[in-house]
Amino acid sequence: AMDVCLIQTLILFCSLICCFWADTPSNKSTPNIIIILMDDMGWGDLGVFGQPSKETPNLDSMAAQGMLFPNFYTANPLCSPSRASLLTGRLPVRNGFYTTNAHARNAYTPQEIVGGISRDEILLPQILKKKGYVNKIIGKWHLGHRAHHLPLEHGFDEWFGAPNCHFGPYNSSDRPNVPVYNNSQMVGRYYEEFGIDKKTGESNLTQIYLEEGLDFIFHQNMAQRPFFLYWAADATHAPVYASKRFLGKSSRGRYGDAVMELDYSVGQMLAWLRALGIDKDTFVFFTSDNGAAVMSGPKQSGSNGPFLCGKETTFEGGMREPAIAWWPGHIPAGTVSQQLGTVMDLFSTSLSVAGLSVPDDRLIDGLDLSPESSSHQSHFTPNRPIFYYRGNEMMAVRVGPYKAHYWTWSNSWEEFNRGINFCPGQEVAGVTTHTQQEHTMQPLIFHLGRDPGEKYPISAVTKEYQDALSRITAVVEKHKKGLVPGVPQLNMCDMAVMNWAPPGCEKLGKCLKAPKSQPWKCDWPH
């Protein structure tokens, strides 16, 4: 693996020789696209949003050079559904990344999941191919790990990373360690060839992912091919890790160390674009898949700033994300957009940047933010709604500054009494409920400008409440009228489908024997 100092040397060297490449034709008519997706990073983890730990100088600089979105959301408070929505531009309830096994349950793609991204869905890289883009994913896929669900079957040309979370280590008899792929072939497993020391937190994975990203950018630029890089590092997901150079450097412990290394990596990628002279030809967007996993405890999770609760909940802390758009010469530096945005907008926006249209044979939930993210006339959409789903239930809706909760639930009393707390230190009576509470007849409504922590419901007898409710009710009725749910992909589990014998395992002598297939309905406790 390249040392980080070598990476910096290469960037400096490339900067020096760039003047000799001044006449090289650029991809201006077909801009490159980079989406940087963090894992469980909270809104409050960035210095630009008030984090005092000084861990994100590069991201803060990226915001100063680009556009900050303080009102940006994921499509679901959990990893797999939000990633499916990013790449399809559609809510999980439409693209199938939800469960109907129990009411209002979060579901994702652990090793035993049978389902994954449907072939009926059209993913962003599949459309970008029409314009000659070379597409690469680096890091966590999480849209299904069976062969027909993997990235190279859904529009990506290259992949370095893993199909599942880096949970483990496992003993290979009850459960295999998660494989790491180079394109379509497994090249090892977590905790085996790709080490993660859970005791010290040391792992070189982020550094490896950075090197893969820089190498991909360099080679596509040399070949004069437009590229889409989806950089999905996962160091901030428990078990949190960082490389030796960054361990012990943050005042927030291991989680902060991981943030520092990811911030460094973003800085290196932006510096690489400048060194290659393609920064003005590359649209870059940074965000996270869901809010900080506050149930993991202070040493394994980040900050959701002023917002309530965190990951797996439909309170603001679970779905409000840090977000920065960067495109020198196109996005005015130091701007802040109050547009309500979502991760689904990256689908529509990326296609617009590439000069392509969204599919017209299905409902796309994402908006094109590119006019808002450019120096052209703003297309601000003030009444764009945000839908907060948990499984197949619409839990809440935001329109303008108002958010209405139709259902509230943090997690069950059974889990809570075992010490699993989705809202540590933030219990709000009648709001962070431990039973599923229905409010459809009289929703709880909050003004998120005055009350970002969702602590003080507006009184139902006030004119403000009635006006907000009438606006939101019209939006909800329209949404439900046009909703055609996709076939749920996250209902069935089977130990036989786990990563026992991924493609390429024969060459490595790493194939394991799968148990007999015995499918069951997955149990989703949250």
Side-chain angles (χ1 to χ4, degrees), residues 12-188:
L12 178 61
F13 174 73
C14 205
S15 298
L16 292 172
I17 66 170
C18 258
C19 57
F20 297 107
W21 294 352
D23 295 328
T24 303
S26 77
N27 287 329
K28 283 185 179 176
S29 62
T30 313
N32 308 307
I33 298 165
I34 300 178
I35 294 176
I36 300 171
L37 185 71
M38 297 292 96
D39 200 335
D40 292 3
M41 185 180 279
W43 190 94
D45 282 329
L46 272 60
V48 72
F49 283 138
Q51 172 56 243
S53 300
K54 311 281 187 200
E55 295 158 357
T56 59
N58 293 291
L59 286 167
D60 298 343
S61 177
M62 181 184 180
Q65 296 162 16
M67 179 175 283
L68 191 66
F69 290 84
N71 292 282
F72 196 85
Y73 290 85
T74 185
N76 188 268
L78 197 58
C79 39
S80 296
S82 66
R83 291 161 191 262
S85 290
L86 186 160
L87 291 173
T88 63
R90 286 151 57 79
L91 284 164
V93 72
R94 294 194 216 274
N95 66 36
F97 261 67
Y98 70 103
T99 181
T100 54
N101 285 356
H103 179 250
R105 292 301 202 279
N106 294 312
Y108 70 112
T109 54
Q111 286 202 63
E112 58 269 31
I113 202 74
V114 172
I117 193 68
S118 168
R119 287 199 184 277
D120 293 334
E121 291 298 318
I122 302 173
L123 274 61
L124 175 59
Q126 291 173 298
I127 308 175
L128 290 174
K129 273 181 177 293
K130 295 177 182 177
K131 204 80 178 281
Y133 278 79
V134 180
N135 308 304
K136 181 160 188 168
I137 170 175
I138 296 173
K140 187 167 88 173
W141 170 239
H142 230 207
L143 300 189
H145 55 269
R146 299 172 75 194
H148 57 288
H149 292 139
L150 294 177
L152 269 59
E153 297 293 318
H154 293 274
F156 284 99
D157 302 291
E158 299 180 25
W159 177 31
F160 188 93
N164 307 89
C165 282
H166 57 275
F167 295 141
Y170 301 118
N171 62 13
S172 297
S173 56
D174 299 327
R175 185 174 290 261
N177 280 318
V178 171
V180 174
Y181 281 81
N182 185 19
N183 297 328
S184 59
Q185 299 288 298
M186 163 188 171
V187 290

Side-chain angles (χ1 to χ4, degrees), residues 217-234:
I217 292 168
F218 179 78
H219 281 97
Q220 301 319 309
N221 182 59
M222 289 295 288
Q224 287 298 301
R225 292 185 298 232
F227 63 82
F228 166 47
L229 172 60
Y230 175 37
W231 199 79
D234 63 356

Side-chain angles (χ1 to χ4, degrees), residues 209-221:
Y209 291 156
L210 172 58
E211 293 161 12
E212 286 284 333
L214 298 178
D215 184 70
F216 175 73
I217 292 168
F218 179 78
H219 281 97
Q220 301 319 309
N221 182 59

Side-chain angles (χ1 to χ4, degrees), residues 89-383:
R90 286 151 57 79
L91 284 164
V93 72
R94 294 194 216 274
N95 66 36
F97 261 67
Y98 70 103
T99 181
T100 54
N101 285 356
H103 179 250
R105 292 301 202 279
N106 294 312
Y108 70 112
T109 54
Q111 286 202 63
E112 58 269 31
I113 202 74
V114 172
I117 193 68
S118 168
R119 287 199 184 277
D120 293 334
E121 291 298 318
I122 302 173
L123 274 61
L124 175 59
Q126 291 173 298
I127 308 175
L128 290 174
K129 273 181 177 293
K130 295 177 182 177
K131 204 80 178 281
Y133 278 79
V134 180
N135 308 304
K136 181 160 188 168
I137 170 175
I138 296 173
K140 187 167 88 173
W141 170 239
H142 230 207
L143 300 189
H145 55 269
R146 299 172 75 194
H148 57 288
H149 292 139
L150 294 177
L152 269 59
E153 297 293 318
H154 293 274
F156 284 99
D157 302 291
E158 299 180 25
W159 177 31
F160 188 93
N164 307 89
C165 282
H166 57 275
F167 295 141
Y170 301 118
N171 62 13
S172 297
S173 56
D174 299 327
R175 185 174 290 261
N177 280 318
V178 171
V180 174
Y181 281 81
N182 185 19
N183 297 328
S184 59
Q185 299 288 298
M186 163 188 171
V187 290
R189 294 183 188 269
Y190 285 146
Y191 301 95
E192 296 175 23
E193 291 74 20
F194 295 88
I196 303 171
D197 189 324
K198 290 177 78 171
K199 187 175 180 181
T200 66
E202 184 177 352
S203 175
N204 290 329
L205 281 165
T206 300
Q207 187 175 324
I208 294 169
Y209 291 156
L210 172 58
E211 293 161 12
E212 286 284 333
L214 298 178
D215 184 70
F216 175 73
I217 292 168
F218 179 78
H219 281 97
Q220 301 319 309
N221 182 59
M222 289 295 288
Q224 287 298 301
R225 292 185 298 232
F227 63 82
F228 166 47
L229 172 60
Y230 175 37
W231 199 79
D234 63 356
T236 40
H237 187 297
V240 171
Y241 62 80
S243 62
K244 193 170 185 177
R245 176 184 174 185
F246 293 91
L247 284 174
K249 294 295 191 288
S250 166
S251 62
R252 286 202 294 168
R254 194 178 298 173
Y255 180 87
D257 298 342
V259 171
M260 290 181 80
E261 184 165 19
L262 291 164
D263 174 80
Y264 168 83
S265 300
V266 173
Q268 292 298 293
M269 281 190 277
L270 299 186
W272 196 227
L273 295 174
R274 290 191 199 95
L276 295 171
I278 56 172
D279 51 321
K280 293 181 180 178
D281 303 334
T282 308
F283 172 75
V284 185
F285 201 98
F286 170 93
T287 189
S288 178
D289 64 348
N290 48 250
V294 291
M295 78 289 284
S296 298
K299 295 181 180 178
Q300 293 281 324
S301 71
S303 166
N304 291 315
F307 303 119
L308 185 62
C309 302
K311 178 181 179 176
E312 300 211 47
T313 76
T314 48
F315 301 111
E316 289 297 285
M319 292 184 59
R320 184 92 70 107
E321 310 306 326
I324 304 168
W326 184 92
W327 192 3
H330 298 263
I331 295 175
T335 48
V336 178
S337 172
Q338 297 301 333
Q339 174 67 55
L340 299 193
T342 95
V343 74
M344 296 176 289
D345 298 340
L346 297 184
F347 177 87
S348 303
T349 302
S350 296
L351 291 177
S352 176
V353 163
L356 292 160
S357 301
V358 299
D360 59 5
D361 64 340
R362 63 201 59 211
L363 200 151
I364 301 296
D365 293 290
L367 292 182
D368 172 15
L369 296 180
S370 56
E372 174 64 6
S373 303
S374 72
S375 54
H376 301 116
Q377 184 179 359
S378 170
H379 285 208
F380 186 73
T381 310
N383 294 321

Side-chain angles (χ1 to χ4, degrees), residues 438-458:
E438 185 173 3
H439 308 280
T440 52
M441 298 304 290
Q442 187 172 293
L444 300 180
I445 298 182
F446 299 90
H447 187 292
L448 294 176
R450 294 195 304 263
D451 180 22
E454 296 169 279
K455 292 180 174 63
Y456 310 106
I458 298 169

Side-chain angles (χ1 to χ4, degrees), residues 292-297 301 309-313 410-412 414-428 432-434 526:
V294 291
M295 78 289 284
S296 298
S301 71
C309 302
K311 178 181 179 176
E312 300 211 47
T313 76
S410 58
N411 64 327
S412 68
E414 181 185 7
E415 285 189 315
F416 182 75
N417 290 332
R418 291 205 318 266
I420 302 171
N421 189 350
F422 284 7
C423 309
Q426 289 187 299
E427 295 284 327
V428 179
T432 59
T433 54
H434 291 289
H526 311 314

